[in-house]
Amino acid sequence: MQRKSRLTLVMMAILLAFGTMGIQPAKPVLAANPIRISQAYGGGGNSGATYTNDFIELYNSSNTPVNLAGWSVQYTSATGTTWQVTPLTGSIPANSYYLIQEAAGTGGTTPLPTPDATGAIMMGASNFKVALANSTTAFTTACPTGAVDFVGAGTANCYEGAAAAPAPGNTTAAIRRESGCKDTDYNLADFQALPPTPRNTASPAYVCPVGD
């Protein structure tokens, strides 16, 4: 009887440990949606930047086009609760990208490829939160629920999974691994900071390998 009680206590301790590990500012997202944020770049027009504008890029991992009318991308600072909204229009083709141009800085030498949507958000270069929403209603909390996809970068106080994406900068973007395919709902594992490579609906399509 004593051995059984000890085993019960051990199992309770293990469950409690896992439960404690799960307490983190991870943001719930809508499950199994093929549209995801594939790049977020806030260094446009800054010192040392090549591109003149900030941008957000989406990727459609499905084999069918998706109508984005009524959707939006939303941005706030690393600890912000006031979200700026850029409405989206048109469709994102199957296995393809969609480029949202945001504000320009005073530097940079190269304009973005033709954007599929345009906003005026002045994004931070290193620490920020970006959400993809299937409405144009602005979020109102630091860690909103119900987003289609979400990226917290650098010192962001909300993110998917156990940690935020690596901080990008003036010459690097937060880029989803595997050409936009890797989506484990864990920002640190899914993103890396690399030179920006903006792609729009006219860019070559990319089909995710089986299993991604």
Side-chain angles (χ1 to χ4, degrees):
M1 182 68 69
Q2 186 176 7
R3 182 179 180 184
K4 184 175 181 180
S5 298
R6 287 179 179 175
L7 180 60
T8 300
L9 289 173
V10 170
M11 292 301 296
M12 289 176 65
I14 292 172
L15 289 172
L16 180 61
F18 275 104
T20 303
M21 289 169 62
I23 298 173
Q24 55 199 3
K27 184 209 59 59
V29 296
L30 299 179
N33 197 299
I35 311 303
R36 61 198 59 163
I37 299 164
S38 50
Q39 286 192 68
Y41 176 59
N46 291 357
S47 176
T50 297
Y51 290 104
T52 56
N53 287 73
D54 299 337
F55 70 86
I56 299 165
E57 180 195 274
L58 307 179
Y59 174 64
N60 177 9
S61 65
S62 76
N63 294 322
T64 57
V66 175
N67 185 2
L68 298 179
W71 291 39
S72 66
V73 290
Q74 304 192 23
Y75 169 89
T76 192
S77 64
T79 59
T81 59
T82 301
W83 292 81
Q84 300 176 69
V85 178
T86 300
L88 307 182
T89 60
S91 296
I92 179 171
N95 307 121
S96 294
Y97 303 92
Y98 184 102
L99 183 63
I100 303 109
Q101 177 176 285
E102 298 293 356
T106 58
T109 58
T110 305
L112 297 176
T114 303
D116 301 298
T118 302
I121 299 173
M122 187 71 71
M123 298 170 60
S126 299
N127 308 298
F128 54 76
K129 295 178 290 194
V130 174
L132 172 64
N134 58 8
S135 79
T136 56
T137 301
F139 292 122
T140 58
T141 63
C143 202
T145 59
V148 175
D149 197 26
F150 192 96
V151 178
T155 59
N157 64 358
C158 187
Y159 37 77
E160 290 184 6
N170 291 351
T171 60
T172 55
I175 299 181
R176 189 178 292 277
R177 295 176 183 271
E178 300 174 12
S179 299
C181 294
K182 189 173 181 64
D183 190 6
T184 65
D185 292 331
Y186 181 12
N187 284 169
L188 180 61
D190 290 344
F191 284 85
Q192 53 192 332
L194 292 173
T197 55
R199 296 162 288 193
N200 59 14
T201 51
S203 299
Y206 180 80
V207 178
C208 292
V210 175
D212 283 329

